[in-house]
Amino acid sequence: MSNKIQTLSGYIHEYSKSIQDPENFWSRIADSFHWQRRWDSVVEWNFEEPNINWFVNAKLNISENILERHLFILGDKPAIIWEPNDPGEAGRIITYRELYEMVCQFSNAMKAHGIGKGDRVIIYMPMVPEAAVAMLACARIGAVHSVVFAGFSAQSLSDRINDCQATMVLTSDGNFRGNKTIPIKEIVDEALKSAPSAEKVIVLQRTGQRVDMQDGRDIWWHDAITGMAKENKAEIMDSEDMLFILYTSGSTGKPKGVVHTCGGYMVYTCYSFQNAFQYSIGDVYWCTADIGWITGHSYIVYGPLLAGATTLMFEGVPTYPDPGRFWNICDKHRVNQFYTAPTAIRALQVFGTEPIEPYRLDSLKVIGSVGEPINEEAWHWYHDHVGKGKCPVVDTWWQTETGGIMISPIAGVTPTKPAYATLPLPGIQPVIVDNNGKELTGNTVEGNLCIKFPWPSMLRTTYGDHERCRQTYFSSFKGYYFTGDGVKRDEDGYYRILGRVDDVINVSGHRMGTAEVENAINEHPKVIESAVVGYPHEIKGQGIYAYVICDMEGRSEENLINEIRETVTKIIGPIAKPDKIQIVPGLPKTRSGKIMRRILRKIASGDMANMGDTSTLLNPAVVEQIKEKALTPS
Ligand code: WT7
């Protein structure tokens, strides 16, 4: 694979070629894949509608590029190393040939149950190899997968099934997480009561717990694959056919289905994986994300497997059975590239270096970070104690919508700088604009982060609502894709992401819409109104602070607060549970009725000094009342 950049001057050269002549640049990268038909043109696009097409009229199948393309040379090499939740249970190693057979067999099983090209399939599964097999099997037969993180509630699951009208759900009996077992089949049963489009459920046996199997609807995975051939021909897909939908939160109440398509996503996830992590064949690469998030899609499954890598999949959590688990796994499997989130680093930092000391960590060459801005302290701890001062830290900035890593060091090739995502990868053209949409050129500038030219793995639409895609990403700043992030470009031209500038908060690397949490809180019958903001949290990055107006009749504050927490867990899932809930007599509003979140954010962060101008408020007195009873920051 010669697409790997090896020197700083190589990066500068490649970057400038990618900007001056994107078509030739991407054409060369795309040539290393297997296409059933070559493209007529590399890219056709406009950001007004938007309408984005990469590798126009080309035909391919991404699973064929992962499986058949690698069989001859890598057939006996491990594709997936699986580490179970319980370190006492045997792990699994799945070679490329075995993966090929598993994917073919399961795709035959799905076909036998009526799934074909274009059908939507929900994957609600634990971190087991079968989850990756499920994704690849969908891709193989042209079905559109939508993975839902198995920590989401029944309500969230049914919302997603209904939004994309999925006809099949893939799940398991239960899910092992640390010392807990989560009955996820039961959650599916609950969800399907209000999601009638799902006609079939295939259930993997993982925990062995008792489950109800509904006749005619539910099939055991092991029964579904019995007698199915371990080979088949991959469906021929158009480059712009849908590959998957992934739901993500935004500034409105309802998560949107981000749509990615086959050709461009394939080219970019593989290219960015090989470069950012400098993966070499034979290395063991481990990303600790869950496949329910875009990181799991692009950098556990598609990117690494397209590159012929060995990708490690871990079922459990960082602190089980003890806070040395990550390092234990790194040594045990001789991990070379390790990719995790700042929130995990900070959570482990709390235990000091003692849990790391028993381990050598001498196989590590590159360590990566993703999901939220990494603070300097965590960066140094990661660099010094995990990387032992010898591994470049790749702080990779990107989004569900971008499909792949956009701004990041190239490990060992371009410089790193604590808390900086540094420089764009080739093909990526970031711009900083002020609030009027004027591009800020030169260095030492700060503003809104936009991208001004398409890249192969960008989102194409939001499922079932193209106008929403246009509105959200292409209307704030004309002619640009708007990321929702604030950014600064320093005196050396390096980018530092400053966090979201919209009503999105980032809790432990999980994206939450404040409106979404408010909607869930408002479901509680005693709640009259609520306002949710983020506040700085030592481990989670941001915590969720909810101000709630309640009808208190006959209730204690404590009971109400607990009930509100439960309501949010039930409606969204435990990840959205507010850290702090303050019952308030009113909310600061402008005369037009808009909640002044700026004030609420200040109070939540413990910054009581200067509230700015409150004279335009409808009810200035309420600010003092809220301040008096404000909950102390973590
Ligand atoms: C938002 C996207 C990319 C996969 C995981 C999250 C924030 C992501 C970084 C980083 C600073 C980051 C941004 C972005 N973010 N990576 N390296 N430095 N911020 O995907 O759920 O789509 O969230 O996460 O705010 O917009 P996501």
Side-chain angles (χ1 to χ4, degrees):
M1 297 267 175
S2 57
N3 291 331
K4 241 164 75 184
I5 296 166
Q6 321 229 333
T7 59
L8 182 57
S9 61
Y11 165 74
I12 296 166
H13 183 70
E14 286 289 281
Y15 188 78
S16 68
K17 278 204 298 193
S18 78
I19 304 307
Q20 281 155 16
D21 188 355
E23 312 218 338
N24 265 319
F25 176 81
W26 288 116
S27 181
R28 174 169 56 79
I29 305 295
D31 268 334
S32 59
F33 294 87
H34 176 68
W35 303 84
Q36 305 275 356
R37 180 188 187 280
R38 212 167 182 269
W39 48 91
D40 294 330
S41 66
V42 174
V43 57
E44 288 173 11
W45 64 286
N46 72 67
F47 277 179
E48 280 75 54
E49 296 176 51
N51 183 9
I52 294 126
N53 300 280
W54 278 89
F55 309 110
V56 179
N57 293 330
K59 307 286 178 203
L60 76 147
N61 186 290
I62 196 169
S63 88
E64 198 174 49
N65 276 275
I66 287 173
L67 302 167
E68 282 93 328
R69 190 166 63 107
H70 290 142
L71 277 188
F72 186 65
I73 294 176
L74 299 173
D76 298 324
K77 293 275 179 319
I80 299 177
I81 296 177
W82 179 69
E83 173 72 19
N85 178 62
D86 177 354
E89 186 183 342
R92 292 160 70 183
I93 295 176
I94 294 165
T95 65
Y96 271 91
R97 186 173 316 284
E98 287 162 343
L99 185 64
Y100 168 78
E101 292 180 355
M102 289 168 81
V103 170
C104 287
Q105 195 176 38
F106 192 66
S107 58
N108 286 334
M110 279 202 291
K111 278 207 265 192
H113 287 285
I115 298 297
K117 187 170 175 176
D119 293 337
R120 275 81 59 217
V121 174
I122 295 281
I123 300 177
Y124 187 73
M125 291 180 73
M127 285 290 291
V128 291
E130 282 76 6
V133 168
M135 292 164 77
L136 297 177
C138 287
R140 193 162 181 89
I141 64 177
V144 178
H145 61 70
S146 185
V147 185
V148 177
F149 173 58
F152 276 120
S153 68
Q155 168 90 52
S156 295
L157 178 58
S158 75
D159 286 349
R160 286 156 173 78
I161 299 172
N162 286 325
D163 188 81
C164 70
Q165 289 291 296
T167 49
M168 181 178 269
V169 177
L170 309 177
T171 190
S172 71
D173 47 1
N175 183 1
F176 290 127
R177 299 284 293 165
N179 51 25
K180 288 195 277 231
T181 305
I182 298 146
I184 63 172
K185 170 63 164 64
E186 232 171 70
I187 301 172
V188 170
D189 291 341
E190 180 64 29
L192 292 203
K193 287 182 191 158
S194 53
S197 66
E199 290 163 10
K200 294 272 153 106
V201 181
I202 300 186
V203 188
L204 179 78
Q205 199 164 44
R206 170 62 189 120
T207 58
Q209 68 200 98
R210 220 199 72 78
V211 294
D212 289 330
M213 296 293 279
Q214 188 175 309
D215 247 7
R217 187 193 75 181
D218 302 349
I219 311 120
W220 285 108
W221 185 293
H222 51 261
D223 291 335
I225 60 174
T226 302
M228 292 292 155
K230 292 181 178 172
E231 59 187 16
N232 64 16
K233 233 190 115 17
E235 187 75 30
I236 296 175
M237 305 293 285
D238 188 88
S239 177
E240 284 299 335
D241 277 338
M242 229 182 272
L243 175 62
F244 66 84
I245 305 167
L246 185 58
Y247 286 87
T248 189
S249 297
S251 43
T252 63
K254 196 171 154 254
K256 47 190 174 288
V258 168
V259 171
H260 285 287
T261 58
C262 298
Y265 182 82
M266 169 176 81
V267 171
Y268 194 77
T269 53
C270 181
Y271 176 76
S272 53
F273 169 75
Q274 291 172 317
N275 277 291
F277 299 104
Q278 290 291 298
Y279 183 87
S280 300
I281 291 294
D283 286 348
V284 175
Y285 161 88
W286 178 22
C287 165
T288 70
D290 190 281
I291 51 145
W293 313 115
I294 190 69
T295 311
H297 285 60
S298 302
Y299 299 112
I300 294 178
V301 179
Y302 288 108
L305 293 175
L306 283 161
T310 298
T311 180
L312 193 149
M313 240 178 131
F314 173 43
E315 182 182 35
V317 298
T319 48
Y320 179 82
D322 61 64
R325 186 71 193 278
F326 273 3
W327 324 127
N328 172 281
I329 296 173
C330 283
D331 274 10
K332 176 172 170 193
H333 297 289
R334 306 297 297 156
V335 171
N336 302 112
Q337 290 89 8
F338 176 72
Y339 191 28
T340 196
T343 188
I345 299 167
R346 289 191 300 262
L348 294 174
Q349 212 179 334
V350 170
F351 297 94
T353 53
E354 209 179 300
I356 299 194
E357 275 149 25
Y359 302 102
R360 298 167 57 101
L361 299 180
D362 58 336
S363 54
L364 291 177
K365 297 194 281 193
V366 176
I367 54 179
S369 167
V370 62
E372 57 181 306
I374 178 165
N375 48 309
E376 280 190 50
E377 205 196 337
W379 193 100
H380 284 293
W381 192 86
Y382 194 33
H383 178 263
D384 296 350
H385 299 296
V386 179
K388 311 288 182 205
K390 64 177 180 55
C391 302
V393 176
V394 291
D395 176 2
T396 63
W397 173 83
W398 58 296
Q399 312 177 294
T400 303
E401 294 84 346
T402 70
I405 297 169
M406 302 288 279
I407 303 183
S408 164
I410 293 178
V413 171
T414 64
T416 62
K417 182 166 181 170
Y420 279 74
T422 70
L423 299 171
L425 292 190
I428 307 304
Q429 304 191 32
V431 289
I432 303 181
V433 301
D434 68 14
N435 288 341
N436 301 315
K438 189 173 141 295
E439 182 173 343
L440 304 174
T441 53
N443 291 340
T444 329
V445 289
E446 192 176 312
N448 304 297
L449 177 59
C450 294
I451 315 288
K452 73 169 172 198
F453 193 85
W455 63 100
S457 66
M458 70 185 295
L459 88 164
R460 301 300 196 264
T461 188
T462 44
Y463 192 80
D465 192 351
H466 191 63
E467 173 56 15
R468 190 165 175 202
C469 171
R470 191 191 67 77
Q471 281 264 346
T472 312
Y473 306 107
F474 298 92
S475 71
S476 307
F477 304 108
K478 205 177 154 0
Y480 298 131
Y481 164 83
F482 175 43
T483 64
D485 281 313
V487 70
K488 135 179 168 178
R489 190 164 49 220
D490 76 356
E491 60 282 4
D492 302 317
Y494 294 150
Y495 291 88
R496 176 176 190 159
I497 309 299
L498 302 171
R500 304 287 302 198
V501 296
D502 52 9
D503 288 326
V504 168
I505 51 183
N506 193 322
V507 185
S508 301
H510 302 315
R511 195 158 142 188
M512 301 291 337
T514 53
E516 199 182 338
V517 183
E518 286 163 10
N519 287 351
I521 292 174
N522 298 349
E523 290 285 314
H524 189 285
K526 294 282 171 185
V527 170
I528 296 164
E529 197 182 0
S530 63
V532 165
V533 297
Y535 71 96
H537 186 288
E538 277 204 8
I539 290 169
K540 298 178 173 187
Q542 281 189 298
I544 304 179
Y545 195 123
Y547 300 89
V548 189
I549 309 175
C550 285
D551 166 9
M552 297 294 297
E553 217 187 289
R555 304 273 177 126
S556 76
E557 269 204 15
E558 199 191 328
N559 283 348
L560 255 178
I561 288 171
N562 287 334
E563 284 174 31
I564 292 170
R565 280 219 170 86
E566 275 162 36
T567 307
V568 176
T569 305
K570 184 165 166 279
I571 291 182
I572 305 178
I575 54 174
K577 211 171 7 180
D579 298 276
K580 295 182 190 298
I581 299 176
Q582 182 183 352
I583 309 282
V584 294
L587 292 166
K589 288 188 179 172
T590 62
R591 280 173 218 282
S592 60
K594 220 179 133 224
I595 298 173
M596 292 274 272
R597 285 166 197 281
R598 180 179 53 80
I599 291 175
L600 296 176
R601 277 195 286 267
K602 274 192 128 205
I603 298 175
S605 65
D607 176 9
M608 306 287 179
N610 184 7
M611 286 294 137
D613 184 11
T614 55
S615 64
T616 56
L617 287 180
L618 198 60
N619 46 355
V622 85
V623 176
E624 290 309 312
Q625 291 170 319
I626 295 176
K627 269 165 71 177
E628 251 168 54
K629 293 210 172 155
L631 303 160
T632 47
S634 62

